[in-house]
PDB file of all heavy atoms in Angstrom:
ATOM      1  N   THR A  20       0.011   0.562  19.016  1.00  0.00           N
ATOM      2  CA  THR A  20      -1.391   0.868  19.197  1.00  0.00           C
ATOM      3  C   THR A  20      -1.848   1.811  18.122  1.00  0.00           C
ATOM      4  O   THR A  20      -2.984   1.676  17.589  1.00  0.00           O
ATOM      5  CB  THR A  20      -1.534   1.514  20.575  1.00  0.00           C
ATOM      6  OG1 THR A  20      -1.120   0.601  21.594  1.00  0.00           O
ATOM      7  CG2 THR A  20      -3.007   1.857  20.867  1.00  0.00           C
ATOM      8  N   ALA A  21      -1.033   2.821  17.797  1.00  0.00           N
ATOM      9  CA  ALA A  21      -1.395   3.782  16.774  1.00  0.00           C
ATOM     10  C   ALA A  21      -1.622   3.070  15.397  1.00  0.00           C
ATOM     11  O   ALA A  21      -2.565   3.358  14.649  1.00  0.00           O
ATOM     12  CB  ALA A  21      -0.312   4.834  16.572  1.00  0.00           C
ATOM     13  N   THR A  22      -0.729   2.144  15.037  1.00  0.00           N
ATOM     14  CA  THR A  22      -0.852   1.462  13.776  1.00  0.00           C
ATOM     15  C   THR A  22      -2.094   0.486  13.783  1.00  0.00           C
ATOM     16  O   THR A  22      -2.808   0.373  12.733  1.00  0.00           O
ATOM     17  CB  THR A  22       0.394   0.577  13.496  1.00  0.00           C
ATOM     18  OG1 THR A  22       0.590  -0.365  14.521  1.00  0.00           O
ATOM     19  CG2 THR A  22       1.620   1.453  13.333  1.00  0.00           C
ATOM     20  N   ASN A  23      -2.432  -0.072  14.929  1.00  0.00           N
ATOM     21  CA  ASN A  23      -3.624  -0.898  15.038  1.00  0.00           C
ATOM     22  C   ASN A  23      -4.897  -0.047  14.805  1.00  0.00           C
ATOM     23  O   ASN A  23      -5.856  -0.442  14.200  1.00  0.00           O
ATOM     24  CB  ASN A  23      -3.723  -1.559  16.382  1.00  0.00           C
ATOM     25  CG  ASN A  23      -2.702  -2.720  16.534  1.00  0.00           C
ATOM     26  OD1 ASN A  23      -2.264  -3.193  15.532  1.00  0.00           O
ATOM     27  ND2 ASN A  23      -2.369  -3.025  17.757  1.00  0.00           N
ATOM     28  N   ILE A  24      -4.879   1.213  15.361  1.00  0.00           N
ATOM     29  CA  ILE A  24      -6.012   2.110  15.203  1.00  0.00           C
ATOM     30  C   ILE A  24      -6.151   2.484  13.798  1.00  0.00           C
ATOM     31  O   ILE A  24      -7.310   2.566  13.242  1.00  0.00           O
ATOM     32  CB  ILE A  24      -5.863   3.372  16.095  1.00  0.00           C
ATOM     33  CG1 ILE A  24      -5.911   3.005  17.576  1.00  0.00           C
ATOM     34  CG2 ILE A  24      -6.933   4.396  15.769  1.00  0.00           C
ATOM     35  CD1 ILE A  24      -5.559   4.131  18.514  1.00  0.00           C
ATOM     36  N   VAL A  25      -5.071   2.713  13.058  1.00  0.00           N
ATOM     37  CA  VAL A  25      -5.127   3.097  11.600  1.00  0.00           C
ATOM     38  C   VAL A  25      -5.808   2.049  10.816  1.00  0.00           C
ATOM     39  O   VAL A  25      -6.619   2.367   9.915  1.00  0.00           O
ATOM     40  CB  VAL A  25      -3.679   3.340  11.091  1.00  0.00           C
ATOM     41  CG1 VAL A  25      -3.752   3.519   9.571  1.00  0.00           C
ATOM     42  CG2 VAL A  25      -3.121   4.629  11.665  1.00  0.00           C
ATOM     43  N   ALA A  26      -5.578   0.796  11.145  1.00  0.00           N
ATOM     44  CA  ALA A  26      -6.259  -0.348  10.421  1.00  0.00           C
ATOM     45  C   ALA A  26      -7.743  -0.448  10.730  1.00  0.00           C
ATOM     46  O   ALA A  26      -8.435  -1.150   9.998  1.00  0.00           O
ATOM     47  CB  ALA A  26      -5.506  -1.624  10.707  1.00  0.00           C
ATOM     48  N   GLY A  27      -8.204   0.304  11.765  1.00  0.00           N
ATOM     49  CA  GLY A  27      -9.595   0.370  12.039  1.00  0.00           C
ATOM     50  C   GLY A  27     -10.274  -0.969  12.334  1.00  0.00           C
ATOM     51  O   GLY A  27      -9.581  -1.838  12.986  1.00  0.00           O
ATOM     52  N   ASP A  28     -11.507  -1.103  11.855  1.00  0.00           N
ATOM     53  CA  ASP A  28     -12.239  -2.392  12.136  1.00  0.00           C
ATOM     54  C   ASP A  28     -12.258  -3.289  10.931  1.00  0.00           C
ATOM     55  O   ASP A  28     -13.156  -4.099  10.787  1.00  0.00           O
ATOM     56  CB  ASP A  28     -13.675  -2.058  12.529  1.00  0.00           C
ATOM     57  CG  ASP A  28     -14.404  -1.214  11.442  1.00  0.00           C
ATOM     58  OD1 ASP A  28     -13.745  -0.784  10.458  1.00  0.00           O
ATOM     59  OD2 ASP A  28     -15.603  -0.934  11.655  1.00  0.00           O
ATOM     60  N   LEU A  29     -11.231  -3.210  10.116  1.00  0.00           N
ATOM     61  CA  LEU A  29     -11.124  -4.133   8.985  1.00  0.00           C
ATOM     62  C   LEU A  29     -10.970  -5.593   9.458  1.00  0.00           C
ATOM     63  O   LEU A  29     -10.249  -5.820  10.450  1.00  0.00           O
ATOM     64  CB  LEU A  29      -9.969  -3.777   8.087  1.00  0.00           C
ATOM     65  CG  LEU A  29      -9.973  -2.444   7.359  1.00  0.00           C
ATOM     66  CD1 LEU A  29      -8.725  -2.260   6.548  1.00  0.00           C
ATOM     67  CD2 LEU A  29     -11.163  -2.382   6.407  1.00  0.00           C
ATOM     68  N   SER A  30     -11.608  -6.463   8.810  1.00  0.00           N
ATOM     69  CA  SER A  30     -11.399  -7.936   9.166  1.00  0.00           C
ATOM     70  C   SER A  30     -10.079  -8.349   8.631  1.00  0.00           C
ATOM     71  O   SER A  30      -9.451  -7.644   7.837  1.00  0.00           O
ATOM     72  CB  SER A  30     -12.510  -8.776   8.555  1.00  0.00           C
ATOM     73  OG  SER A  30     -12.384  -8.737   7.059  1.00  0.00           O
ATOM     74  N   TYR A  31      -9.649  -9.533   9.101  1.00  0.00           N
ATOM     75  CA  TYR A  31      -8.362 -10.045   8.560  1.00  0.00           C
ATOM     76  C   TYR A  31      -8.315 -10.143   7.052  1.00  0.00           C
ATOM     77  O   TYR A  31      -7.342  -9.780   6.377  1.00  0.00           O
ATOM     78  CB  TYR A  31      -8.071 -11.451   9.216  1.00  0.00           C
ATOM     79  CG  TYR A  31      -6.730 -11.951   8.815  1.00  0.00           C
ATOM     80  CD1 TYR A  31      -5.558 -11.562   9.479  1.00  0.00           C
ATOM     81  CD2 TYR A  31      -6.594 -12.896   7.810  1.00  0.00           C
ATOM     82  CE1 TYR A  31      -4.303 -11.996   9.085  1.00  0.00           C
ATOM     83  CE2 TYR A  31      -5.340 -13.395   7.402  1.00  0.00           C
ATOM     84  CZ  TYR A  31      -4.223 -12.959   8.123  1.00  0.00           C
ATOM     85  OH  TYR A  31      -2.968 -13.464   7.680  1.00  0.00           O
ATOM     86  N   SER A  32      -9.404 -10.670   6.501  1.00  0.00           N
ATOM     87  CA  SER A  32      -9.482 -10.807   5.075  1.00  0.00           C
ATOM     88  C   SER A  32      -9.451  -9.458   4.335  1.00  0.00           C
ATOM     89  O   SER A  32      -8.761  -9.319   3.302  1.00  0.00           O
ATOM     90  CB  SER A  32     -10.797 -11.576   4.661  1.00  0.00           C
ATOM     91  OG  SER A  32     -10.787 -12.855   5.224  1.00  0.00           O
ATOM     92  N   GLU A  33     -10.118  -8.462   4.899  1.00  0.00           N
ATOM     93  CA  GLU A  33     -10.067  -7.151   4.280  1.00  0.00           C
ATOM     94  C   GLU A  33      -8.667  -6.538   4.356  1.00  0.00           C
ATOM     95  O   GLU A  33      -8.208  -5.851   3.427  1.00  0.00           O
ATOM     96  CB  GLU A  33     -11.081  -6.247   5.005  1.00  0.00           C
ATOM     97  CG  GLU A  33     -12.557  -6.559   4.709  1.00  0.00           C
ATOM     98  CD  GLU A  33     -13.510  -5.905   5.583  1.00  0.00           C
ATOM     99  OE1 GLU A  33     -13.154  -5.568   6.776  1.00  0.00           O
ATOM    100  OE2 GLU A  33     -14.597  -5.604   5.163  1.00  0.00           O
ATOM    101  N   LYS A  34      -7.971  -6.813   5.451  1.00  0.00           N
ATOM    102  CA  LYS A  34      -6.598  -6.295   5.612  1.00  0.00           C
ATOM    103  C   LYS A  34      -5.722  -6.935   4.553  1.00  0.00           C
ATOM    104  O   LYS A  34      -4.834  -6.243   3.905  1.00  0.00           O
ATOM    105  CB  LYS A  34      -6.028  -6.600   6.991  1.00  0.00           C
ATOM    106  CG  LYS A  34      -6.635  -5.788   8.108  1.00  0.00           C
ATOM    107  CD  LYS A  34      -6.159  -6.293   9.467  1.00  0.00           C
ATOM    108  CE  LYS A  34      -6.905  -5.556  10.609  1.00  0.00           C
ATOM    109  NZ  LYS A  34      -6.461  -6.085  11.947  1.00  0.00           N
ATOM    110  N   MET A  35      -5.858  -8.194   4.323  1.00  0.00           N
ATOM    111  CA  MET A  35      -5.005  -8.913   3.316  1.00  0.00           C
ATOM    112  C   MET A  35      -5.333  -8.362   1.918  1.00  0.00           C
ATOM    113  O   MET A  35      -4.399  -8.169   1.118  1.00  0.00           O
ATOM    114  CB  MET A  35      -5.299 -10.404   3.375  1.00  0.00           C
ATOM    115  CG  MET A  35      -4.913 -11.114   4.636  1.00  0.00           C
ATOM    116  SD  MET A  35      -3.113 -10.920   5.095  1.00  0.00           S
ATOM    117  CE  MET A  35      -3.228  -9.582   6.348  1.00  0.00           C
ATOM    118  N   GLN A  36      -6.603  -8.089   1.621  1.00  0.00           N
ATOM    119  CA  GLN A  36      -6.961  -7.569   0.338  1.00  0.00           C
ATOM    120  C   GLN A  36      -6.428  -6.197   0.147  1.00  0.00           C
ATOM    121  O   GLN A  36      -5.926  -5.799  -0.900  1.00  0.00           O
ATOM    122  CB  GLN A  36      -8.503  -7.523   0.174  1.00  0.00           C
ATOM    123  CG  GLN A  36      -8.927  -7.079  -1.224  1.00  0.00           C
ATOM    124  CD  GLN A  36     -10.449  -7.044  -1.336  1.00  0.00           C
ATOM    125  OE1 GLN A  36     -11.149  -6.922  -0.355  1.00  0.00           O
ATOM    126  NE2 GLN A  36     -10.932  -7.255  -2.571  1.00  0.00           N
ATOM    127  N   LEU A  37      -6.522  -5.370   1.218  1.00  0.00           N
ATOM    128  CA  LEU A  37      -5.970  -3.958   1.147  1.00  0.00           C
ATOM    129  C   LEU A  37      -4.478  -3.986   0.983  1.00  0.00           C
ATOM    130  O   LEU A  37      -3.918  -3.168   0.189  1.00  0.00           O
ATOM    131  CB  LEU A  37      -6.341  -3.243   2.424  1.00  0.00           C
ATOM    132  CG  LEU A  37      -5.876  -1.776   2.486  1.00  0.00           C
ATOM    133  CD1 LEU A  37      -6.488  -0.948   1.347  1.00  0.00           C
ATOM    134  CD2 LEU A  37      -6.308  -1.100   3.820  1.00  0.00           C
ATOM    135  N   ILE A  38      -3.732  -4.910   1.645  1.00  0.00           N
ATOM    136  CA  ILE A  38      -2.310  -4.991   1.464  1.00  0.00           C
ATOM    137  C   ILE A  38      -1.926  -5.301   0.081  1.00  0.00           C
ATOM    138  O   ILE A  38      -1.007  -4.747  -0.523  1.00  0.00           O
ATOM    139  CB  ILE A  38      -1.755  -6.051   2.410  1.00  0.00           C
ATOM    140  CG1 ILE A  38      -1.765  -5.606   3.871  1.00  0.00           C
ATOM    141  CG2 ILE A  38      -0.291  -6.408   2.057  1.00  0.00           C
ATOM    142  CD1 ILE A  38      -1.360  -6.617   4.911  1.00  0.00           C
ATOM    143  N   ARG A  39      -2.678  -6.221  -0.573  1.00  0.00           N
ATOM    144  CA  ARG A  39      -2.418  -6.616  -1.955  1.00  0.00           C
ATOM    145  C   ARG A  39      -2.630  -5.366  -2.891  1.00  0.00           C
ATOM    146  O   ARG A  39      -1.827  -5.126  -3.800  1.00  0.00           O
ATOM    147  CB  ARG A  39      -3.317  -7.650  -2.352  1.00  0.00           C
ATOM    148  CG  ARG A  39      -3.077  -9.032  -1.705  1.00  0.00           C
ATOM    149  CD  ARG A  39      -3.894 -10.193  -2.269  1.00  0.00           C
ATOM    150  NE  ARG A  39      -3.760 -11.415  -1.535  1.00  0.00           N
ATOM    151  CZ  ARG A  39      -4.637 -11.743  -0.609  1.00  0.00           C
ATOM    152  NH1 ARG A  39      -5.757 -11.069  -0.364  1.00  0.00           N
ATOM    153  NH2 ARG A  39      -4.476 -12.875   0.128  1.00  0.00           N
ATOM    154  N   ILE A  40      -3.711  -4.644  -2.633  1.00  0.00           N
ATOM    155  CA  ILE A  40      -3.980  -3.444  -3.507  1.00  0.00           C
ATOM    156  C   ILE A  40      -2.961  -2.379  -3.288  1.00  0.00           C
ATOM    157  O   ILE A  40      -2.464  -1.797  -4.296  1.00  0.00           O
ATOM    158  CB  ILE A  40      -5.369  -2.938  -3.222  1.00  0.00           C
ATOM    159  CG1 ILE A  40      -6.447  -3.928  -3.658  1.00  0.00           C
ATOM    160  CG2 ILE A  40      -5.604  -1.575  -3.898  1.00  0.00           C
ATOM    161  CD1 ILE A  40      -7.839  -3.542  -3.206  1.00  0.00           C
ATOM    162  N   LEU A  41      -2.608  -2.070  -2.057  1.00  0.00           N
ATOM    163  CA  LEU A  41      -1.640  -1.042  -1.789  1.00  0.00           C
ATOM    164  C   LEU A  41      -0.246  -1.481  -2.248  1.00  0.00           C
ATOM    165  O   LEU A  41       0.508  -0.587  -2.754  1.00  0.00           O
ATOM    166  CB  LEU A  41      -1.576  -0.775  -0.288  1.00  0.00           C
ATOM    167  CG  LEU A  41      -2.819  -0.148   0.357  1.00  0.00           C
ATOM    168  CD1 LEU A  41      -2.680   0.008   1.854  1.00  0.00           C
ATOM    169  CD2 LEU A  41      -3.053   1.288  -0.301  1.00  0.00           C
ATOM    170  N   ASP A  42       0.062  -2.713  -2.191  1.00  0.00           N
ATOM    171  CA  ASP A  42       1.355  -3.224  -2.702  1.00  0.00           C
ATOM    172  C   ASP A  42       1.427  -2.999  -4.219  1.00  0.00           C
ATOM    173  O   ASP A  42       2.486  -2.631  -4.716  1.00  0.00           O
ATOM    174  CB  ASP A  42       1.544  -4.625  -2.328  1.00  0.00           C
ATOM    175  CG  ASP A  42       2.907  -5.199  -2.769  1.00  0.00           C
ATOM    176  OD1 ASP A  42       3.923  -4.688  -2.290  1.00  0.00           O
ATOM    177  OD2 ASP A  42       2.935  -6.165  -3.611  1.00  0.00           O
ATOM    178  N   LYS A  43       0.346  -3.245  -4.900  1.00  0.00           N
ATOM    179  CA  LYS A  43       0.286  -2.987  -6.322  1.00  0.00           C
ATOM    180  C   LYS A  43       0.523  -1.564  -6.687  1.00  0.00           C
ATOM    181  O   LYS A  43       1.295  -1.231  -7.597  1.00  0.00           O
ATOM    182  CB  LYS A  43      -1.062  -3.518  -6.913  1.00  0.00           C
ATOM    183  CG  LYS A  43      -1.147  -3.417  -8.452  1.00  0.00           C
ATOM    184  CD  LYS A  43      -2.423  -4.039  -8.959  1.00  0.00           C
ATOM    185  CE  LYS A  43      -2.442  -3.902 -10.516  1.00  0.00           C
ATOM    186  NZ  LYS A  43      -3.713  -4.590 -10.995  1.00  0.00           N
ATOM    187  N   LEU A  44      -0.094  -0.673  -5.922  1.00  0.00           N
ATOM    188  CA  LEU A  44       0.108   0.777  -6.134  1.00  0.00           C
ATOM    189  C   LEU A  44       1.514   1.172  -5.822  1.00  0.00           C
ATOM    190  O   LEU A  44       2.117   1.963  -6.562  1.00  0.00           O
ATOM    191  CB  LEU A  44      -0.865   1.588  -5.248  1.00  0.00           C
ATOM    192  CG  LEU A  44      -2.277   1.805  -5.811  1.00  0.00           C
ATOM    193  CD1 LEU A  44      -3.149   2.497  -4.771  1.00  0.00           C
ATOM    194  CD2 LEU A  44      -2.304   2.618  -7.088  1.00  0.00           C
ATOM    195  N   GLU A  45       2.089   0.641  -4.747  1.00  0.00           N
ATOM    196  CA  GLU A  45       3.486   0.900  -4.341  1.00  0.00           C
ATOM    197  C   GLU A  45       4.394   0.515  -5.436  1.00  0.00           C
ATOM    198  O   GLU A  45       5.380   1.253  -5.751  1.00  0.00           O
ATOM    199  CB  GLU A  45       3.800   0.139  -3.030  1.00  0.00           C
ATOM    200  CG  GLU A  45       5.133   0.448  -2.434  1.00  0.00           C
ATOM    201  CD  GLU A  45       5.163   1.629  -1.515  1.00  0.00           C
ATOM    202  OE1 GLU A  45       4.086   1.922  -0.976  1.00  0.00           O
ATOM    203  OE2 GLU A  45       6.270   2.196  -1.361  1.00  0.00           O
ATOM    204  N   LYS A  46       4.216  -0.706  -6.001  1.00  0.00           N
ATOM    205  CA  LYS A  46       5.099  -1.121  -7.083  1.00  0.00           C
ATOM    206  C   LYS A  46       4.966  -0.328  -8.367  1.00  0.00           C
ATOM    207  O   LYS A  46       5.886  -0.282  -9.179  1.00  0.00           O
ATOM    208  CB  LYS A  46       4.781  -2.642  -7.321  1.00  0.00           C
ATOM    209  CG  LYS A  46       5.351  -3.499  -6.251  1.00  0.00           C
ATOM    210  CD  LYS A  46       4.903  -4.958  -6.481  1.00  0.00           C
ATOM    211  CE  LYS A  46       5.503  -5.856  -5.303  1.00  0.00           C
ATOM    212  NZ  LYS A  46       5.061  -7.248  -5.422  1.00  0.00           N
ATOM    213  N   PHE A  47       3.821   0.346  -8.506  1.00  0.00           N
ATOM    214  CA  PHE A  47       3.659   1.196  -9.735  1.00  0.00           C
ATOM    215  C   PHE A  47       4.368   2.501  -9.412  1.00  0.00           C
ATOM    216  O   PHE A  47       5.112   3.038 -10.349  1.00  0.00           O
ATOM    217  CB  PHE A  47       2.160   1.498  -9.951  1.00  0.00           C
ATOM    218  CG  PHE A  47       1.924   2.554 -10.994  1.00  0.00           C
ATOM    219  CD1 PHE A  47       1.999   2.249 -12.307  1.00  0.00           C
ATOM    220  CD2 PHE A  47       1.604   3.855 -10.616  1.00  0.00           C
ATOM    221  CE1 PHE A  47       1.754   3.232 -13.293  1.00  0.00           C
ATOM    222  CE2 PHE A  47       1.458   4.843 -11.526  1.00  0.00           C
ATOM    223  CZ  PHE A  47       1.462   4.511 -12.915  1.00  0.00           C
ATOM    224  N   HIS A  48       4.228   3.085  -8.285  1.00  0.00           N
ATOM    225  CA  HIS A  48       4.766   4.426  -8.035  1.00  0.00           C
ATOM    226  C   HIS A  48       6.267   4.497  -7.692  1.00  0.00           C
ATOM    227  O   HIS A  48       6.884   5.487  -8.024  1.00  0.00           O
ATOM    228  CB  HIS A  48       3.961   5.150  -6.908  1.00  0.00           C
ATOM    229  CG  HIS A  48       2.540   5.444  -7.283  1.00  0.00           C
ATOM    230  ND1 HIS A  48       2.239   6.432  -8.273  1.00  0.00           N
ATOM    231  CD2 HIS A  48       1.342   4.957  -6.932  1.00  0.00           C
ATOM    232  CE1 HIS A  48       0.942   6.486  -8.380  1.00  0.00           C
ATOM    233  NE2 HIS A  48       0.391   5.603  -7.599  1.00  0.00           N
ATOM    234  N   GLN A  49       6.768   3.504  -7.025  1.00  0.00           N
ATOM    235  CA  GLN A  49       8.159   3.530  -6.544  1.00  0.00           C
ATOM    236  C   GLN A  49       9.203   3.721  -7.704  1.00  0.00           C
ATOM    237  O   GLN A  49      10.070   4.612  -7.599  1.00  0.00           O
ATOM    238  CB  GLN A  49       8.500   2.356  -5.723  1.00  0.00           C
ATOM    239  CG  GLN A  49       9.810   2.444  -5.043  1.00  0.00           C
ATOM    240  CD  GLN A  49      10.159   1.317  -4.082  1.00  0.00           C
ATOM    241  OE1 GLN A  49      10.002   0.135  -4.449  1.00  0.00           O
ATOM    242  NE2 GLN A  49      10.522   1.661  -2.860  1.00  0.00           N
ATOM    243  N   PRO A  50       9.104   2.968  -8.771  1.00  0.00           N
ATOM    244  CA  PRO A  50      10.023   3.192  -9.893  1.00  0.00           C
ATOM    245  C   PRO A  50       9.983   4.603 -10.482  1.00  0.00           C
ATOM    246  O   PRO A  50      10.975   5.100 -10.877  1.00  0.00           O
ATOM    247  CB  PRO A  50       9.614   2.094 -10.922  1.00  0.00           C
ATOM    248  CG  PRO A  50       8.899   1.099 -10.145  1.00  0.00           C
ATOM    249  CD  PRO A  50       8.148   1.822  -9.093  1.00  0.00           C
ATOM    250  N   ILE A  51       8.736   5.130 -10.461  1.00  0.00           N
ATOM    251  CA  ILE A  51       8.666   6.504 -10.931  1.00  0.00           C
ATOM    252  C   ILE A  51       9.362   7.464 -10.041  1.00  0.00           C
ATOM    253  O   ILE A  51      10.085   8.372 -10.526  1.00  0.00           O
ATOM    254  CB  ILE A  51       7.139   6.854 -11.106  1.00  0.00           C
ATOM    255  CG1 ILE A  51       6.476   6.036 -12.161  1.00  0.00           C
ATOM    256  CG2 ILE A  51       6.960   8.365 -11.432  1.00  0.00           C
ATOM    257  CD1 ILE A  51       4.911   6.180 -12.204  1.00  0.00           C
ATOM    258  N   PHE A  52       9.136   7.300  -8.725  1.00  0.00           N
ATOM    259  CA  PHE A  52       9.800   8.176  -7.716  1.00  0.00           C
ATOM    260  C   PHE A  52      11.275   8.031  -7.861  1.00  0.00           C
ATOM    261  O   PHE A  52      12.026   9.041  -7.718  1.00  0.00           O
ATOM    262  CB  PHE A  52       9.317   7.767  -6.335  1.00  0.00           C
ATOM    263  CG  PHE A  52      10.027   8.498  -5.248  1.00  0.00           C
ATOM    264  CD1 PHE A  52       9.678   9.809  -4.939  1.00  0.00           C
ATOM    265  CD2 PHE A  52      11.035   7.882  -4.502  1.00  0.00           C
ATOM    266  CE1 PHE A  52      10.318  10.473  -3.869  1.00  0.00           C
ATOM    267  CE2 PHE A  52      11.711   8.559  -3.519  1.00  0.00           C
ATOM    268  CZ  PHE A  52      11.314   9.859  -3.182  1.00  0.00           C
ATOM    269  N   ASN A  53      11.826   6.794  -8.051  1.00  0.00           N
ATOM    270  CA  ASN A  53      13.266   6.593  -8.060  1.00  0.00           C
ATOM    271  C   ASN A  53      13.870   7.237  -9.337  1.00  0.00           C
ATOM    272  O   ASN A  53      15.154   7.346  -9.310  1.00  0.00           O
ATOM    273  CB  ASN A  53      13.529   5.118  -8.062  1.00  0.00           C
ATOM    274  CG  ASN A  53      13.258   4.447  -6.718  1.00  0.00           C
ATOM    275  OD1 ASN A  53      13.128   5.143  -5.711  1.00  0.00           O
ATOM    276  ND2 ASN A  53      13.023   3.133  -6.698  1.00  0.00           N
ATOM    277  N   ARG A  54      13.131   7.598 -10.280  1.00  0.00           N
ATOM    278  CA  ARG A  54      13.718   8.241 -11.465  1.00  0.00           C
ATOM    279  C   ARG A  54      14.048   9.721 -11.244  1.00  0.00           C
ATOM    280  O   ARG A  54      14.748  10.342 -12.050  1.00  0.00           O
ATOM    281  CB  ARG A  54      12.706   8.132 -12.657  1.00  0.00           C
ATOM    282  CG  ARG A  54      12.623   6.723 -13.209  1.00  0.00           C
ATOM    283  CD  ARG A  54      11.369   6.512 -14.098  1.00  0.00           C
ATOM    284  NE  ARG A  54      11.411   7.393 -15.220  1.00  0.00           N
ATOM    285  CZ  ARG A  54      10.483   7.489 -16.148  1.00  0.00           C
ATOM    286  NH1 ARG A  54       9.346   6.734 -15.897  1.00  0.00           N
ATOM    287  NH2 ARG A  54      10.538   8.277 -17.151  1.00  0.00           N
ATOM    288  N   ASN A  55      13.599  10.289 -10.173  1.00  0.00           N
ATOM    289  CA  ASN A  55      13.899  11.670  -9.801  1.00  0.00           C
ATOM    290  C   ASN A  55      13.558  12.652 -10.952  1.00  0.00           C
ATOM    291  O   ASN A  55      14.278  13.534 -11.299  1.00  0.00           O
ATOM    292  CB  ASN A  55      15.365  11.805  -9.418  1.00  0.00           C
ATOM    293  CG  ASN A  55      15.765  11.055  -8.189  1.00  0.00           C
ATOM    294  OD1 ASN A  55      15.044  11.079  -7.186  1.00  0.00           O
ATOM    295  ND2 ASN A  55      16.793  10.360  -8.282  1.00  0.00           N
ATOM    296  N   ILE A  56      12.382  12.486 -11.492  1.00  0.00           N
ATOM    297  CA  ILE A  56      11.955  13.300 -12.549  1.00  0.00           C
ATOM    298  C   ILE A  56      11.635  14.736 -12.042  1.00  0.00           C
ATOM    299  O   ILE A  56      11.082  14.837 -10.926  1.00  0.00           O
ATOM    300  CB  ILE A  56      10.658  12.782 -13.228  1.00  0.00           C
ATOM    301  CG1 ILE A  56      10.962  11.388 -13.825  1.00  0.00           C
ATOM    302  CG2 ILE A  56      10.145  13.712 -14.321  1.00  0.00           C
ATOM    303  CD1 ILE A  56       9.705  10.664 -14.333  1.00  0.00           C
ATOM    304  N   ASP A  57      12.022  15.753 -12.737  1.00  0.00           N
ATOM    305  CA  ASP A  57      11.799  17.098 -12.288  1.00  0.00           C
ATOM    306  C   ASP A  57      10.313  17.359 -12.082  1.00  0.00           C
ATOM    307  O   ASP A  57       9.494  17.003 -12.900  1.00  0.00           O
ATOM    308  CB  ASP A  57      12.336  18.080 -13.363  1.00  0.00           C
ATOM    309  CG  ASP A  57      12.173  19.541 -12.933  1.00  0.00           C
ATOM    310  OD1 ASP A  57      13.002  20.016 -12.074  1.00  0.00           O
ATOM    311  OD2 ASP A  57      11.212  20.202 -13.399  1.00  0.00           O
TER     312      ASP A  57
END
């Protein structure tokens, strides 16, 4: 229920678009995080 509330009133199409954008950001930041830079 909490996760459904977080997604708010986004339509299915908006959720899919948001997932694609967030996934792109995730793929950018994760390799940087894994390098354990000071």
Side-chain angles (χ1 to χ4, degrees):
T20 300
T22 58
N23 288 337
I24 294 172
V25 170
D28 58 354
L29 295 178
S30 69
Y31 183 81
S32 297
E33 289 169 331
K34 290 174 186 176
M35 296 303 102
Q36 184 179 28
L37 182 59
I38 288 172
R39 293 186 188 99
I40 293 171
L41 292 176
D42 183 62
K43 184 174 181 179
L44 277 175
E45 184 89 23
K46 287 175 179 175
F47 172 80
H48 291 291
Q49 189 174 51
I51 295 172
F52 175 79
N53 290 341
R54 288 165 62 184
N55 296 315
I56 301 171
D57 183 76

